């Protein structure tokens, strides 16, 4: 293998690690068996800040769980980036 071929191979490997891999809720629950479909849907619901139901002035918010950056909605389909999801799980070990 020449030096140029080696550089191309390394560049392709770095590119593949940067490419996002999108999965549906069902597919993600199959790849991460610790999370059921319903638990993933609950994480999606709690991903963004939302208004608190019982607030005195209506300005109180419940903070999100930080997963919103990994979620995309395309029509009715919800897609989650697998790499960002696993990073989010790893970041949660400190909480």
């Amino acid at each position: 293998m020449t030096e140029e071929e080696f550089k191309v191979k390394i560049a392709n490997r770095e590119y593949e690690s940067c490419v996002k891999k999108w999965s549906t809720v069902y597919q993600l629950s199959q790849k991460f068996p610790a999370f059921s479909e319903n638990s993933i849907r609950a994480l999606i619901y709690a991903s963004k800040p939302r208004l608190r139901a019982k607030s005195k002035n209506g300005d109180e918010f419940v903070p999100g769980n930080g997963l919103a950056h990994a979620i995309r909605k395309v029509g009715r389909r919800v897609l989650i980036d697998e790499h960002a999801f696993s990073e989010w799980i790893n970041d949660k070990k400190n909480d």
Side-chain angles (χ1 to χ4, degrees):
M1 181 182 302
T2 66
E3 186 176 340
E4 288 183 31
E5 291 173 342
F6 181 74
K7 287 180 182 179
V8 168
K9 189 174 184 180
I10 295 297
N12 286 340
R13 190 174 296 156
E14 289 175 1
Y15 174 75
E16 288 173 1
S17 67
C18 295
V19 174
K20 295 185 179 205
K21 183 161 184 189
W22 298 101
S23 297
T24 63
V25 174
Y26 174 75
Q27 292 168 338
L28 198 69
S29 69
Q30 298 299 313
K31 291 178 184 172
F32 294 91
F35 296 94
S36 67
E37 286 185 62
N38 286 338
S39 66
I40 293 172
R41 290 182 200 285
L43 290 172
I44 292 169
Y45 175 76
S47 64
K48 291 184 178 179
R50 57 199 182 280
L51 283 173
R52 186 177 303 273
K54 294 183 179 181
S55 63
K56 304 262 182 195
N57 57 5
D59 293 336
E60 295 180 36
F61 286 90
V62 176
N65 61 17
L67 188 60
H69 71 281
I71 300 170
R72 298 291 181 269
K73 292 185 179 180
V74 181
R76 293 182 62 192
R77 188 166 298 264
V78 177
L79 302 173
I80 304 168
D81 179 20
E82 289 180 22
H83 182 67
F85 185 75
S86 62
E87 283 183 1
W88 177 78
I89 292 170
N90 290 333
D91 289 344
K92 286 296 183 184
K93 69 179 177 184
N94 297 330
D95 290 348

